[in-house]
Amino acid sequence: MHILRRSLLGSLWAMIGWKPAFAGEASSESAIREEASSVTPRHVLCFLGKDRDLSRLSEAAAQAIRDFADGFSVDEDYSQAEPDDRMSRSFDVCWDRVEADVWNEADAKAVADHQSVLYVLGPSMAQAETVKVSMTALRLVERLIAAGAVAVKGESAGIAHGLDRWRALIGQGAEAVKAADPLAQQRIGRLAFAKRPLSARGYLESVGFHLVGLPDVYVPETAGSERKVVAIMDAVADEIAEQGLDPTLKARGARLSFDSTYEVDEFKFNPYGIVKLAG
């Protein structure tokens, strides 16, 4: 496992200026807390193609939107039928390095050799809809891989998996939906679309838990090894999902904070706050 500082996560949406839905500006934590209520998270998905022709991927996305992905849309402004020389670096800092063997040299080569880029934007999500929409996003990833996408990245948290890992997550998500198991759906959506751990200001942080309706989790760097810290993050997220936020805060001796390392107008900003564990 390898920690990346958040400053390295120059995800492409930051380069090209996408912003989440929000209103106003804030500076103090109390003002940010108030402002957070007007922020609605959304998925931004990046698909790389092997040909200098977007029609196959864009048509597959359009058909998926008609079939099941209501509210999603193809971004016509930044999709391009030519390679983007920023992609190798962007994917390099976004690969999931928590799970073993979730990407390989073939995946990295597919990124380096890509010839086109398609972006799909998800709808702004109310908290109660985040898990459902994230499962839809996984189905959309499935459809575009079948249509020939050679690499996929979730821009909203800066997370990339190899195609085999995406397929495994897609299968797990489908099983959870079939079983009508919302907790399993939320966990799989978190594993698919959130990034952890990143290092910032004395903590190791998760990014992207808001995409399944949860606060992010900050663990003191002194809590142990990287793998132990990730296990703590995941356990806290599961506890919040199963028991609720307040009981988890009490049991963990933690507090809910809005002192984020991200600005309110960044996609990585979590409107549900941050669970900060004590050192």
Side-chain angles (χ1 to χ4, degrees):
M1 194 186 304
H2 176 64
I3 294 176
L4 295 170
R5 293 194 177 275
R6 65 175 294 270
S7 60
L8 290 178
L9 278 178
S11 294
L12 204 55
W13 59 262
M15 298 177 190
I16 59 184
W18 284 317
K19 299 291 183 181
F22 84 109
E25 297 180 355
S27 55
S28 69
E29 182 172 355
S30 60
I32 292 172
R33 181 188 292 264
E34 182 177 350
E35 201 66 53
S37 63
S38 65
V39 175
T40 50
R42 69 188 304 191
H43 286 278
V44 179
L45 302 173
C46 172
F47 300 93
L48 303 188
K50 61 182 178 181
D51 302 313
R52 291 203 179 200
D53 179 1
L54 275 177
S55 60
R56 186 175 178 185
L57 291 183
S58 61
E59 288 169 8
Q63 187 62 53
I65 291 166
R66 290 191 293 270
D67 289 347
F68 59 81
D70 186 48
F72 284 76
S73 61
V74 173
D75 186 276
E76 304 288 352
D77 293 327
Y78 298 111
S79 298
Q80 60 185 58
E82 59 184 4
D84 186 327
D85 60 10
R86 298 170 293 186
M87 282 298 167
S88 287
R89 172 169 169 75
S90 181
F91 269 79
D92 187 54
V93 299
C94 291
W95 290 121
D96 179 11
R97 289 176 169 82
V98 173
E99 302 295 331
D101 301 322
V102 297
W103 61 279
N104 55 40
E105 290 304 316
D107 293 308
K109 187 176 188 304
V111 173
D113 293 343
H114 81 279
Q115 296 297 306
S116 55
V117 185
L118 183 80
Y119 291 102
V120 176
L121 309 179
S124 295
M125 300 181 288
Q127 187 173 14
E129 295 296 315
T130 52
V131 173
K132 179 181 178 181
V133 175
S134 291
M135 291 297 98
T136 300
L138 267 182
R139 291 184 66 192
L140 190 61
V141 171
E142 178 182 32
R143 184 70 68 90
L144 266 71
I145 290 175
V150 296
V152 183
K153 174 157 57 80
E155 296 285 0
S156 299
I159 183 68
H161 309 284
L163 292 189
D164 287 344
R165 174 62 171 168
W166 277 117
R167 291 186 182 103
L169 291 165
I170 289 161
Q172 292 167 22
E175 291 177 4
V177 170
K178 183 177 180 180
D181 186 341
L183 291 179
Q185 293 173 41
Q186 188 175 54
R187 186 178 303 111
I188 293 158
R190 177 166 51 79
L191 294 175
F193 296 114
K195 178 82 172 176
R196 77 259 194 266
L198 303 175
S199 178
R201 302 193 310 193
Y203 286 88
L204 299 181
E205 63 181 23
S206 69
V207 179
F209 284 9
H210 58 307
L211 297 171
V212 290
L214 296 172
D216 276 300
V217 180
Y218 284 22
V219 181
E221 290 180 337
T222 56
S225 68
E226 297 169 20
R227 196 161 297 280
K228 180 178 179 180
V229 166
V230 167
I232 293 171
M233 289 177 179
D234 290 345
V236 170
D238 286 340
E239 290 163 16
I240 295 170
E242 294 169 5
Q243 304 169 17
L245 178 59
D246 289 341
T248 301
L249 293 175
K250 183 176 180 181
R252 288 279 182 174
R255 65 185 180 92
L256 184 68
S257 171
F258 285 83
D259 183 19
S260 176
T261 54
Y262 301 98
E263 299 296 330
V264 176
D265 65 349
E266 293 185 72
F267 272 118
K268 292 185 177 72
F269 176 78
N270 191 324
Y272 314 124
I274 302 155
V275 172
K276 284 193 171 182
L277 302 185

